[in-house]
Amino acid sequence: IRNCDWSSDVCSSDLWQTIKHRSIEDERAILCNISREIERQARFQSALGAIRLHHAIAACQAGLTLQRELDAFVLEQLEVQEELIEKGGTVDDPTALERAKLESADIQLKLDCQLRKLRNELSLLIGPETACSYTSELVTTPTPTLEEIGRAHV
């Protein structure tokens, strides 16, 4: 009795004969195809990572722009508050704007650190020469999902 898988009517001995008769060229072709597919998948994952980093860098840059605008507004309000106090006016919490200024500086420092980290990651991904000259523009579209990129790639 031959060793068979009756559910699929395929005998393992038949498969072994088929595999055994494959030429070295056939095996190399299969391995080459597998290697190309692995390389394609790696490039795809790398491109996806670069897109995500681009969006994160653009978001940090937008956050820093907003922080600079906030800083300018707070400084303007501090000047108005000083004038008001000089003219005899009162302010409920005269330290509120100073606290806002310090909080804004703290947030700006965190965004700067995050931006440096993201740029370092981008440098590792696409190379330092390319990453050094990289500037992202404000991105208004959401980061595409893996499925969306996969559909566009096919």
Side-chain angles (χ1 to χ4, degrees):
I1 297 179
R2 293 170 54 186
N3 184 11
C4 295
D5 176 11
W6 297 107
S7 64
S8 63
D9 291 333
V10 176
C11 296
S12 59
S13 58
D14 292 341
L15 292 173
W16 178 248
Q17 291 300 321
T18 303
I19 292 170
K20 195 169 149 184
H21 285 79
R22 271 201 187 132
S23 68
I24 291 175
E25 290 79 22
D26 290 341
E27 289 178 13
R28 284 186 183 149
I30 291 170
L31 290 175
C32 189
N33 287 338
I34 291 171
S35 176
R36 275 194 292 261
E37 180 60 22
I38 290 170
E39 185 180 330
R40 187 188 71 76
Q41 288 291 327
R43 281 194 312 268
F44 179 75
Q45 291 298 324
S46 180
L48 181 61
I51 289 170
R52 287 183 175 149
L53 284 171
H54 172 79
H55 282 262
I57 289 170
C60 279
Q61 288 174 334
L64 285 169
T65 298
L66 290 172
Q67 283 305 125
R68 285 190 286 275
E69 290 173 11
L70 176 64
D71 288 344
F73 177 75
V74 168
L75 289 174
E76 183 181 306
Q77 293 304 309
L78 279 168
E79 290 174 8
V80 169
Q81 179 177 299
E82 285 177 25
E83 284 180 35
L84 179 66
I85 292 172
E86 285 175 6
K87 292 181 180 181
T90 60
V91 177
D92 291 338
D93 186 358
T95 61
L97 289 173
E98 285 297 331
R99 286 194 314 272
K101 182 179 169 185
L102 290 173
E103 287 175 24
S104 178
D106 187 45
I107 291 170
Q108 188 167 353
L109 181 62
K110 288 177 183 177
L111 284 170
D112 279 330
C113 289
Q114 183 66 22
L115 185 59
R116 248 184 259 111
K117 178 183 167 195
L118 292 167
R119 285 188 172 147
N120 285 338
E121 287 180 36
L122 185 64
S123 177
L124 291 172
L125 187 64
I126 65 174
E129 301 81 23
T130 307
C132 286
S133 62
Y134 176 82
T135 57
S136 68
E137 298 299 320
L138 181 62
V139 179
T140 57
T141 58
T143 302
T145 64
L146 184 60
E147 293 79 26
E148 291 170 335
I149 292 173
R151 284 192 299 265
H153 184 66
V154 174

